[in-house]
Amino acid sequence: MIGYVTLGTNDLPRAKAFYDTLLAEMGVKRMMEFSDRGYAWAAAMDKPMLCIMKPYNGRPATVGNGVMVGIAADSRDQVDRIYKKALELGGTDEGPPGLRDEGGDGFYVAYFRDLDGNKLDVFVYG
């Protein structure tokens, strides 16, 4: 159902470096470039994309309260690696890897914010 999700940034070069390195942990590559406006990453062109963009209206990007992007992982080890890599790259902790009741039985997840303050999680069931 989801084709893509867009998060805002005020520093494209910094965001590009963060997501290039972070998503490489999952074998995900930058698939699209939108001149000086942003980038998109995906496992393949027919898979959901994560886009990082400067806002179209030219105003500064801000963090949406209640907005979070969930990234599906293949294993608990991959959740741990991506969370650790996000923090190494300057992201901030919003909840370390672990089982969470709110996601149902076997929901293993870690929460972090990127360099612009956007909240993400990486998760797996099982």
Side-chain angles (χ1 to χ4, degrees):
M1 180 172 90
I2 302 283
Y4 63 88
V5 173
T6 301
L7 295 173
T9 184
N10 293 304
D11 188 334
L12 275 175
R14 181 179 73 161
K16 179 175 73 168
F18 180 86
Y19 283 101
D20 278 348
T21 304
L22 182 70
L23 297 176
E25 292 287 319
M26 302 178 75
V28 173
K29 300 180 224 175
R30 188 168 6 112
M31 301 294 267
M32 299 176 80
E33 297 190 19
F34 307 103
S35 62
D36 63 345
R37 291 216 38 249
Y39 306 97
W41 292 261
M45 286 301 289
D46 63 342
K47 302 293 181 195
M49 290 188 177
L50 175 62
C51 304
I52 304 298
M53 306 282 288
K54 287 183 180 178
Y56 183 75
N57 65 9
R59 295 182 182 151
T62 59
V63 177
N65 188 25
V67 174
M68 179 172 59
V69 174
I71 299 172
D74 293 331
S75 66
R76 290 182 181 187
D77 179 61
Q78 192 175 51
V79 168
D80 295 344
R81 284 194 334 265
I82 293 167
Y83 169 80
K84 180 181 175 188
K85 181 60 72 175
L87 299 185
E88 286 173 5
L89 293 169
T92 56
D93 170 50
E94 285 286 320
L99 289 167
R100 303 292 198 290
D101 291 335
E102 67 268 14
D105 195 33
F107 183 59
Y108 188 83
V109 61
Y111 301 92
F112 61 93
R113 290 191 184 267
D114 71 8
L115 303 177
D116 286 287
N118 295 303
K119 189 171 181 179
L120 297 97
D121 73 50
V122 59
F123 71 95
V124 67
Y125 279 94

